[in-house]
Amino acid sequence: MDEKIARELSLPEGCELVEKGSNASQEWLNSLWWLIRLRWLAGVSVLVATWGAGLWGLNLAAGPLYAIGVGILGYNVFFSRQLTRCCRSSISTPRAQVSARLQITADWVAMTLLIHFSGGVESPLCLYFFFHIILAAILLAVRDVYLFTGLAIFLFGGNVLLEYAGILPHIAIGGFLPAPLYQSPLYVSGVLLFFSSTLLVIAYLTTRATRQLREREAEALTLSRDLQRTYRRLQTLYTSAQVVSSTLELQEVLDRLTRKTVEVMGVKACVIRLLDKTGTRLNTVSGHGLSESYLQKGVLLLAQSLMDREALAGEAVAVDDVATDGRLQYPEAALAEGIRSILTVSLPGRQGPLGVIRLYCSRVQRFTAEDAVFLSTMATHGSIAIENALAYQSLQTLEEAKRKFVLMVTHELRAPVGVVRSLLRTLEGGYAGHLEDSQHDLAARALRRADFLQTLIDELLELAAYKTGLREVLAPQPVNVNAVLGNVVERYAVPSAEKHLTLNLNLDAGAPPLMVAATEAELDRVFTNLVSNAVKYTPEGGAVTVRLQSVMGRAQIEVTDSGIGISEEALEHLFEEFYRAPNARAAVKEGTGLGLVVAKDIVTRYGGSIQVQSQAGQGTTFTVTLPILAESPGGEAT
Amino acid sequence: MEQKRILIVDDDDDLVLAHRLVLESAGYVVDEASNGKEGIARMQEQLPDLVLMDVMMANPLDGYYTTQQIADDPLLRQVPILMISSIITTQYAEAFPTDQYLNIVEFISKPVAPQMLLAKVKRYLK
């Protein structure tokens, strides 16, 4: 499964690391390159040393020695090219190993020739073989190291013995030794004995050390692979948890969870079944990778599915072979769907399991203990997302209930009050026959109370709707302020006439209507509040003036009255909920103290402002400003 | 001059009563219907000079469908319709069909003050 994950996921950094780690020979190849670099030095050293020894006054066989130096450099060119080619194509370890053996063989021959031309048994260069053994131990297997040690002893010993016997000529370094030793039996046998034993001891010690080193290396490699795999899984888990929790829609959360699990675990299919309210059956809520007919195969009763009972008890349940395991409720259907092994874990909720998440595979014995742990972790993350989505869903239901309540109140409470007002007005207006003064007075009092009730209901609804976010916030539209003001003023024509008030509307006659972004209903409410206050708190014979003008890109609406005014103290509290100025309270009994709060709320939401200027006894001016819309396409709206 | 006839289509009989009293006091002849279907029947029986129609009756779309049916009839659509809604503004107007034969003269919101009602009726009866 790990390889599967590695294949299915594309995590660039991770891949690179695994690539490196999976190729154990990388380190070894580096050593081979290092050997080639050393050899350049060795070749040049031979040439330089030969030349230097000549200067020193030693009598050398310079020709052959130069030839050997050039030879070393020559074959090094060949090997380095070979290795470059080898690396450029796919790294082939066996070929590189053959190359390593060839290189060491060539070195052995070159060493033997160097020793021969620098005095044979008398040559100090024989010590260099020690380094060669160490290099061989780094590069080659143990058996090969002993083979090459044997070869070195054979070559060196053969040369020494052949010179001793006079079969090969002895080429001494003139002036190096006081007397020739190559034919001294004691010296020759001593050198051979110590040379061979030293070489063997070095071979033993270095192979032992490098073997341990290689074991450690292999362990480190395994560990780093494990680490890689864990990292990869964590990464996957993290990204899938993110994907799954990035939505609050329940169905979307479930579908993403099954899809992601199939991708990450590389299995045939994944299904989520949630417990129903009774806790006795599991309903399929999301499936990925299975046929519709399988998903609809029938009701899954907890009582008949041992597999699910065990899973809900908190264990991971692996069914190794559907055909032989007796814990399924519908084994035939599963076999027909091509399912052979199943892994089930519970989805742990805050208060008991929510249901199960199940993986399906078409092979038998597919799932390991490690898979179970991984799926459990996925399930834990998934459960959090599912619970969040469930909570969100119930919150939405609650919102919906609140919305319905507000609508109900609007209609059920507002409508009858409206009818009462109409009836009372009809009565009070004398349309149902003439009323005596006392009767008229009673009708008028009842009407005032009904009017107040209507205002209170409207304003409470308005305030509640926005405070709780119950009202759908309508997208602002271009609203014709002139038209809205016209409507409001028209509605108050009769009430102001009854109070003998002059109600004026001053619009900039020549200019086109001013358009602002808002909703008509809300602007109507704002200006209705201001105009109704003005009419209400202005004594008989006074004047109310509504003025609209364009001031620095803003529509400025002034509602001025010659009413009772507002004291400085009261001005501070004017826009507080349920606040009513003492003089207003004295003048008019009914009043909600909500109208200005609502007005300010609306104006502020559309980027405007509301201000008040007043002097007690002199009158009041409310000034509303709203940003003017740029030329609206399609001419006059609303 | 012959008395003008006004048809009130509204399912709230208290409201119908109030409007009837106001209109009758001004000398109009008032006819009434409690739903759209009945309203059309009344119109066919005797063509009124004006119709006062509630937008939202028991069936929320009743007012809407009724105006459309009226617009489909070449005789009935000559009668001006004054729509009365419980919604404070004329937002409803936008939801209404913009049929060229639709003879809705204005939307006014409930509750309608008696003097205002008389003023509107007078305006559209000319």
Side-chain angles (χ1 to χ4, degrees), chain A residues 414 419 421 425 431 490 494, chain B residues 12 25 86 111 113-115 120:
Chain A
R414 213 174 158 268
V419 174
R421 286 176 71 210
R425 277 184 187 181
Y431 300 101
E490 187 186 343
V494 175
Chain B
D12 189 325
S25 77
S86 45
Q115 277 168 309
K120 297 277 181 201

Side-chain angles (χ1 to χ4, degrees), chain A residues 411 414-415 418-419 421-423 425-426 431-432 454 458 474 477 490-491 494 498 519-521 524-525 638, chain B residues 12 14-15 17-19 21-22 25 86 88-91 94 109-116 118 120 123:
Chain A
H411 195 254
R414 213 174 158 268
V419 174
R421 286 176 71 210
S422 284
L423 290 169
R425 277 184 187 181
T426 309
Y431 300 101
Q454 177 102 53
D458 285 356
L474 296 169
Q477 295 168 334
E490 187 186 343
R491 271 206 301 280
V494 175
E498 281 170 355
T519 65
E520 194 185 328
D524 190 289
R525 181 165 285 279
T638 63
Chain B
D12 189 325
D14 289 337
L15 215 56
L17 173 65
H19 289 162
L21 287 171
V22 171
S25 77
S86 45
I88 198 152
T89 58
T90 56
Q91 268 178 345
E94 285 163 29
S109 53
K110 277 185 198 171
V112 195
Q115 277 168 309
M116 162 106 107
L118 288 176
K120 297 277 181 201
R123 186 192 307 175

Side-chain angles (χ1 to χ4, degrees), chain A residues 489-569:
Chain A
V489 170
E490 187 186 343
R491 271 206 301 280
Y492 279 90
V494 175
S496 43
E498 281 170 355
K499 274 185 90 175
H500 307 291
L501 299 179
T502 325
L503 177 59
N504 289 318
L505 175 60
N506 291 352
L507 302 174
D508 194 348
L514 294 183
M515 307 299 288
V516 299
T519 65
E520 194 185 328
E522 287 172 311
L523 280 198
D524 190 289
R525 181 165 285 279
V526 170
F527 299 125
T528 301
N529 274 327
L530 297 181
V531 173
S532 95
N533 278 347
V535 169
K536 200 155 51 173
Y537 298 115
T538 302
E540 295 217 349
V544 173
T545 306
V546 179
R547 182 179 292 113
L548 169 66
Q549 57 199 125
S550 163
V551 178
M552 296 172 72
R554 293 172 86 87
Q556 179 175 304
I557 302 100
E558 289 174 352
V559 180
T560 306
D561 65 51
S562 61
I564 58 174
I566 306 164
S567 72
E568 211 166 308
E569 197 186 12

Side-chain angles (χ1 to χ4, degrees), chain B residues 15-32:
Chain B
L15 215 56
V16 172
L17 173 65
H19 289 162
R20 171 193 277 279
L21 287 171
V22 171
L23 294 172
E24 281 177 350
S25 77
Y28 298 108
V29 177
V30 177
D31 206 355
E32 62 186 72

Side-chain angles (χ1 to χ4, degrees), chain A residues 30 32-42 76:
Chain A
N30 287 343
L32 205 55
W33 276 114
W34 172 63
L35 176 64
I36 283 173
R37 282 198 298 276
L38 272 182
R39 197 176 291 119
W40 294 122
L41 193 67
N76 206 30

Side-chain angles (χ1 to χ4, degrees), chain A residues 583-597:
Chain A
N583 60 342
R585 217 179 269 277
V588 181
K589 195 154 59 179
E590 296 86 6
T592 61
L594 290 172
L596 289 175
V597 185

